[in-house]
Amino acid sequence: MAAGDMASTRLGARRQHLRPLKRRGLVLLRLTAIIFALLLFCEFLIYYLVIFRCSWPAVKTSADAGGLGTPEPVLRVMFLADTHLLGTVRGHWLDKLRREWQMERAFQTALWLLQPGVVFILGDVFDEGKWSSSQAWADDVGRFWKIFRHPPHVQLRAVAGNHDIGFHYQMNTYKIKRFEKVFNPERLFSWKGINFVMVNSVALEGDGCDICSGAEAELLEISHRLNCSREEHRPQECGDGQQLPASAPILLQHFPLYRRNDANCSGDDAAPPDEKYTPFKERYDALSQEASRKLLWWLRPRLVLSGHTHSACEVLHGAGVLEVSVPSFSWRNRNNPSFIMVTLTSTVVCVWCRVNSFSSSQMKRLTNWFARRDLPGFSTEIPTSQEPHSLPGRLVTR
């Protein structure tokens, strides 16, 4: 009996000793499951939950209104700006890993859910392109295509920014060609009857340098082709080349057109209050007044989209040409990165989508009064300036 009692006592002691271990094991298992669920939600699922709220605005065509004829093609475009992929010099490796993961998940989720036809990046694709070596550039390009990979039916195009090729005093032909080798160098791009003009705004310094003179000559040629496309009876001076669609272009560039500051820009995506009233320096924060007048006069765009400021703004120029400054897509530049969704036909409709917040998507539909602009006869004479003014609030069509 004594031996049996001792065995029972030992067995009970072992069980009592194992109970805390089991409890600790269960606690660790639950803690691991909670951490895994949090990581899954915060680093993967949250992008789907937020971007799922975004939707392409419907555009009524003549066919939808009961008109006769072929339905007008509709193009869905996504605009990003200032992704600033870090290189070998700036930023800690962990910071680089974190920011690129955030951009990759946001972009890939948006691509899968929204399925745009074309994606444009409005400059400063890379952060260190202005000084990176050939090997560093190749590494950055490889990481870019991993983050912004896309199916063959989606076109991805980009304009050069000052961080890609340097400011005017830093840029050279080698850096420009290196950028254009990665991204299609085509300045005039037409898709589904819509013309896009992609401008190297860094080259619009106006000092007569070789690169600047070449850029202006190219813009004059594009202006001539756009004017010829609007002629019902093609003049002899237009030649026999391929005719462009008869529509005013969408102007895409990195530097915004001239404005004094962001004082009148509003919304969550606008510049913070302590930066709004800082005067813009011409040729550094924005294009010069002269370069801005040339672009508006030569190209007569119906809409302008730009980047560079890392903040959002809507500005009316001249005779009602709207410019939308696209905020940065990188969490390194702002805590609420954004992209713009645009549905294009003869009407332009923009949807602002914040990709890191549970707040409802901010929408604004831009009215049709600026969507179509007739191109007058070609002229190199630049009219006197008209001061641009920022819109006091969001444009909404009821």
Side-chain angles (χ1 to χ4, degrees), residues 1-136:
M1 290 295 294
D5 290 340
M6 289 179 64
S8 299
T9 302
R10 288 174 184 173
L11 182 60
R14 286 177 184 174
R15 287 176 178 173
Q16 289 178 355
H17 180 69
L18 289 173
R19 283 173 187 169
L21 292 177
K22 287 182 178 180
R23 290 196 191 100
R24 282 196 288 267
L26 288 173
V27 170
L28 286 174
L29 184 62
R30 289 172 181 172
L31 184 62
T32 302
I34 291 171
I35 292 173
F36 176 78
L38 286 173
L39 287 173
L40 180 65
F41 178 77
C42 295
E43 301 299 333
F44 190 81
L45 295 179
I46 191 170
Y47 296 96
Y48 288 89
L49 293 175
V50 173
I51 296 177
F52 182 76
R53 299 187 176 196
C54 303
S55 61
W56 296 101
V59 175
K60 290 186 177 181
T61 64
S62 57
D64 297 329
L68 301 176
T70 306
E72 192 174 7
V74 175
L75 181 63
R76 293 174 172 177
V77 188
M78 191 161 71
F79 290 97
L80 286 65
D82 297 275
T83 52
H84 283 270
L85 266 67
L86 293 174
T88 58
V89 178
R90 287 182 169 180
H92 191 271
W93 68 268
L94 185 59
D95 179 47
K96 183 192 300 186
L97 180 67
R98 176 67 177 152
R99 303 312 177 192
E100 292 181 3
W101 167 258
Q102 290 171 321
M103 283 194 290
E104 180 178 357
R105 290 313 325 143
F107 180 77
Q108 294 301 325
T109 304
L111 206 63
W112 188 77
L113 287 176
L114 304 175
Q115 299 184 1
V118 185
V119 177
F120 288 104
I121 303 180
L122 303 178
D124 280 359
V125 180
F126 306 102
D127 193 66
E128 302 175 17
K130 55 187 177 181
W131 60 51
S132 61
S133 64
S134 298
Q135 183 57 51

Side-chain angles (χ1 to χ4, degrees), residues 21 26 35 45 104 121 242 280 295 332-333 346 394:
L21 292 177
L26 288 173
I35 292 173
L45 295 179
E104 180 178 357
I121 303 180
Q242 184 178 2
F280 278 7
L295 286 174
R332 197 169 189 267
N333 295 327
S346 59
R394 303 290 183 185

